[in-house]
Amino acid sequence: MTGGIIETVKSSRIDEIEKVETFLLHCGCLHKHRPVLAAACLRFALTVSDFGITTGRQEEKYPCAFVFNSNETRNGTFASPNYPGLYPRSTECHYFFNGQLNERVHLHFHFFDVEGVPPCEALTASDYVEFSNYMARDRKYPRYCGQQKEFDVYSDRKFFRVTFKSNDRLDATGFNASYVFLDEEENYTMKIPTTGGSARHGEASREIS
Protein backbone atom coordinates (compact mmCIF):
# COMPACT_ATOMS: atom_id res chain seq x y z
CA MET A 1 0.00 0.00 0.00
CA THR A 2 2.85 2.40 0.84
CA GLY A 3 4.41 1.85 -2.59
CA GLY A 4 1.16 2.88 -4.22
CA ILE A 5 1.04 6.07 -2.15
CA ILE A 6 4.56 7.07 -3.15
CA GLU A 7 3.94 6.32 -6.83
CA THR A 8 0.78 8.44 -6.75
CA VAL A 9 2.69 11.34 -5.23
CA LYS A 10 5.56 10.88 -7.70
CA SER A 11 3.22 11.10 -10.65
CA SER A 12 1.57 14.28 -9.33
CA ARG A 13 4.53 16.16 -7.82
CA ILE A 14 7.74 14.55 -9.05
CA ASP A 15 9.86 17.57 -8.09
CA GLU A 16 8.74 17.29 -4.43
CA ILE A 17 9.17 13.55 -3.86
CA GLU A 18 12.11 13.87 -1.46
CA LYS A 19 10.06 16.12 0.83
CA VAL A 20 7.12 13.76 0.53
CA GLU A 21 9.11 10.64 1.41
CA THR A 22 10.64 12.41 4.40
CA PHE A 23 7.22 13.50 5.62
CA LEU A 24 5.76 10.02 5.12
CA LEU A 25 8.62 8.57 7.15
CA HIS A 26 7.95 10.98 10.03
CA CYS A 27 4.20 10.37 10.10
CA GLY A 28 4.78 6.61 10.16
CA CYS A 29 3.84 5.59 6.62
CA LEU A 30 7.24 4.08 5.84
CA HIS A 31 7.73 2.48 9.25
CA LYS A 32 6.67 -1.18 9.28
CA HIS A 33 6.07 -1.08 13.02
CA ARG A 34 3.79 1.99 12.89
CA PRO A 35 1.02 1.34 10.34
CA VAL A 36 -1.30 4.25 9.60
CA LEU A 37 -4.25 4.78 7.29
CA ALA A 38 -3.15 5.11 3.67
CA ALA A 39 -5.69 7.84 2.97
CA ALA A 40 -4.39 9.97 5.83
CA CYS A 41 -0.80 9.57 4.63
CA LEU A 42 -1.71 10.58 1.11
CA ARG A 43 -3.57 13.65 2.37
CA PHE A 44 -0.53 14.74 4.38
CA ALA A 45 1.84 13.97 1.51
CA LEU A 46 -0.04 16.13 -0.97
CA THR A 47 0.18 19.15 1.36
CA VAL A 48 3.79 18.70 2.43
CA SER A 49 5.17 21.21 -0.08
CA ASP A 50 3.77 24.07 2.03
CA PHE A 51 3.82 22.15 5.36
CA GLY A 52 0.19 23.05 5.88
CA ILE A 53 1.14 26.71 6.36
CA THR A 54 -1.42 28.85 4.57
CA THR A 55 -0.11 32.40 5.05
CA GLY A 56 3.00 34.24 3.91
CA ARG A 57 4.98 33.77 0.71
CA GLN A 58 6.97 30.54 0.58
CA GLU A 59 10.73 31.03 0.24
CA GLU A 60 12.09 28.34 -2.06
CA LYS A 61 15.70 28.67 -0.82
CA TYR A 62 14.78 26.80 2.37
CA PRO A 63 13.01 23.47 2.92
CA CYS A 64 10.42 25.34 5.01
CA ALA A 65 10.38 29.14 5.11
CA PHE A 66 7.73 31.82 4.70
CA VAL A 67 8.15 35.56 4.15
CA PHE A 68 5.87 38.33 5.41
CA ASN A 69 6.51 41.77 3.87
CA SER A 70 4.83 44.89 5.24
CA ASN A 71 4.61 46.41 1.75
CA GLU A 72 2.35 43.49 0.84
CA THR A 73 0.37 42.98 4.07
CA ARG A 74 0.61 45.09 7.24
CA ASN A 75 -0.97 42.48 9.50
CA GLY A 76 -2.06 38.87 9.48
CA THR A 77 -1.59 35.47 11.08
CA PHE A 78 0.92 32.62 10.97
CA ALA A 79 1.09 29.18 12.55
CA SER A 80 3.24 26.11 13.05
CA PRO A 81 3.27 23.38 10.39
CA ASN A 82 -0.02 21.49 10.07
CA TYR A 83 -1.73 23.60 12.79
CA PRO A 84 -4.20 22.87 14.40
CA GLY A 85 -3.09 19.28 13.83
CA LEU A 86 0.11 17.83 15.27
CA TYR A 87 3.26 19.30 13.75
CA PRO A 88 5.68 16.91 11.95
CA ARG A 89 8.83 15.71 13.67
CA SER A 90 12.40 16.63 12.62
CA THR A 91 11.21 19.84 10.99
CA GLU A 92 12.64 23.35 10.93
CA CYS A 93 10.53 26.22 9.63
CA HIS A 94 11.49 29.88 9.38
CA TYR A 95 9.17 32.89 9.31
CA PHE A 96 10.85 36.06 8.01
CA PHE A 97 9.23 39.44 8.71
CA ASN A 98 10.42 42.38 6.61
CA GLY A 99 9.25 45.87 7.51
CA GLN A 100 9.99 49.30 6.05
CA LEU A 101 12.86 51.47 7.35
CA ASN A 102 11.10 52.79 10.49
CA GLU A 103 8.88 49.80 11.15
CA ARG A 104 8.98 47.13 13.81
CA VAL A 105 6.89 43.98 14.08
CA HIS A 106 4.67 43.01 17.01
CA LEU A 107 3.77 39.34 17.43
CA HIS A 108 0.97 38.04 19.62
CA PHE A 109 0.73 34.30 20.33
CA HIS A 110 -2.86 33.23 20.92
CA PHE A 111 -2.08 29.55 21.42
CA PHE A 112 1.23 27.84 22.19
CA ASP A 113 1.91 24.15 22.87
CA VAL A 114 5.37 23.03 21.75
CA GLU A 115 6.84 19.86 23.26
CA GLY A 116 9.73 20.64 25.59
CA VAL A 117 11.02 21.87 28.92
CA PRO A 118 12.40 25.42 29.39
CA PRO A 119 15.03 26.65 28.70
CA CYS A 120 14.35 24.48 25.63
CA GLU A 121 17.93 23.47 24.93
CA ALA A 122 19.39 20.27 23.47
CA LEU A 123 19.99 18.83 26.94
CA THR A 124 16.23 18.46 27.47
CA ALA A 125 15.59 17.23 23.90
CA SER A 126 13.05 20.01 23.49
CA ASP A 127 11.28 21.30 20.42
CA TYR A 128 11.24 25.11 20.48
CA VAL A 129 10.40 28.44 18.89
CA GLU A 130 13.24 30.94 18.59
CA PHE A 131 13.12 34.71 17.96
CA SER A 132 15.85 36.91 16.51
CA ASN A 133 16.50 40.35 15.07
CA TYR A 134 19.15 38.67 12.90
CA MET A 135 19.64 35.53 10.83
CA ALA A 136 21.87 34.21 13.63
CA ARG A 137 20.69 33.45 17.15
CA ASP A 138 19.76 36.49 19.25
CA ARG A 139 20.47 35.96 22.96
CA LYS A 140 18.08 38.78 23.89
CA TYR A 141 15.11 36.44 23.41
CA PRO A 142 14.72 33.14 25.28
CA ARG A 143 13.58 30.09 23.40
CA TYR A 144 9.96 29.12 24.00
CA CYS A 145 8.62 25.61 24.50
CA GLY A 146 6.03 23.81 26.62
CA GLN A 147 2.50 25.08 27.13
CA GLN A 148 2.41 28.87 27.36
CA LYS A 149 -0.32 31.39 28.01
CA GLU A 150 -0.82 34.19 25.50
CA PHE A 151 2.27 36.35 25.11
CA ASP A 152 3.76 39.09 22.95
CA VAL A 153 7.12 39.54 21.24
CA TYR A 154 8.47 42.76 19.72
CA SER A 155 11.30 43.20 17.25
CA ASP A 156 14.04 45.82 17.61
CA ARG A 157 14.62 46.18 13.89
CA LYS A 158 12.69 46.16 10.65
CA PHE A 159 13.74 42.53 10.12
CA PHE A 160 12.64 39.74 12.45
CA ARG A 161 13.01 35.98 12.30
CA VAL A 162 10.88 33.32 14.01
CA THR A 163 12.12 29.74 13.81
CA PHE A 164 10.18 26.63 14.79
CA LYS A 165 12.24 23.46 15.27
CA SER A 166 11.09 19.96 16.24
CA ASN A 167 13.16 16.86 16.91
CA ASP A 168 12.41 13.19 16.17
CA ARG A 169 10.89 12.28 19.54
CA LEU A 170 7.53 13.76 20.53
CA ASP A 171 5.06 16.19 18.99
CA ALA A 172 2.31 18.61 19.93
CA THR A 173 -0.17 21.05 18.39
CA GLY A 174 2.28 23.93 17.94
CA PHE A 175 1.28 27.58 17.84
CA ASN A 176 -1.08 30.12 16.33
CA ALA A 177 -0.05 33.78 16.24
CA SER A 178 -0.82 37.19 14.77
CA TYR A 179 1.55 39.87 13.54
CA VAL A 180 1.32 43.59 12.83
CA PHE A 181 3.93 46.00 11.48
CA LEU A 182 4.05 49.28 13.42
CA ASP A 183 5.66 52.55 12.35
CA GLU A 184 7.84 54.08 15.07
CA GLU A 185 6.84 57.62 14.09
CA GLU A 186 3.12 56.99 14.09
CA ASN A 187 0.81 56.94 17.08
CA TYR A 188 -2.29 55.02 16.15
CA THR A 189 -4.46 52.17 17.30
CA MET A 190 -4.62 48.88 15.48
CA LYS A 191 -6.28 45.59 16.35
CA ILE A 192 -4.38 42.34 16.06
CA PRO A 193 -6.26 40.17 13.49
CA THR A 194 -8.65 37.65 14.98
CA THR A 195 -8.22 33.95 14.35
CA GLY A 196 -11.81 32.91 14.90
CA GLY A 197 -10.56 30.17 17.21
CA SER A 198 -12.18 28.66 20.27
CA ALA A 199 -11.68 29.78 23.84
CA ARG A 200 -8.92 27.18 24.09
CA HIS A 201 -6.88 29.29 21.72
CA GLY A 202 -7.44 32.44 23.75
CA GLU A 203 -9.09 35.72 22.97
CA ALA A 204 -7.81 36.66 19.55
CA SER A 205 -8.59 40.37 19.41
CA ARG A 206 -6.19 42.68 21.17
CA GLU A 207 -5.66 46.40 20.83
CA ILE A 208 -2.29 48.07 20.32
CA SER A 209 -1.82 51.77 20.91
Side-chain angles (χ1 to χ4, degrees), residues 85-101:
L86 298 178
Y87 54 72
R89 299 178 185 180
S90 301
T91 299
E92 181 172 303
C93 281
H94 303 286
Y95 307 80
F96 300 124
F97 296 87
N98 298 305
Q100 301 300 306
L101 184 61

Side-chain angles (χ1 to χ4, degrees), residues 170-182:
L170 301 173
D171 42 38
T173 306
F175 67 83
N176 182 32
S178 299
Y179 70 90
V180 60
F181 289 96
L182 301 175

Side-chain angles (χ1 to χ4, degrees), residues 103-121:
E103 288 181 337
R104 303 293 181 264
V105 65
H106 170 201
L107 309 179
H108 179 75
F109 285 77
H110 306 283
F111 176 80
F112 193 97
D113 182 11
V114 173
E115 160 61 31
V117 179
C120 318
E121 300 291 346

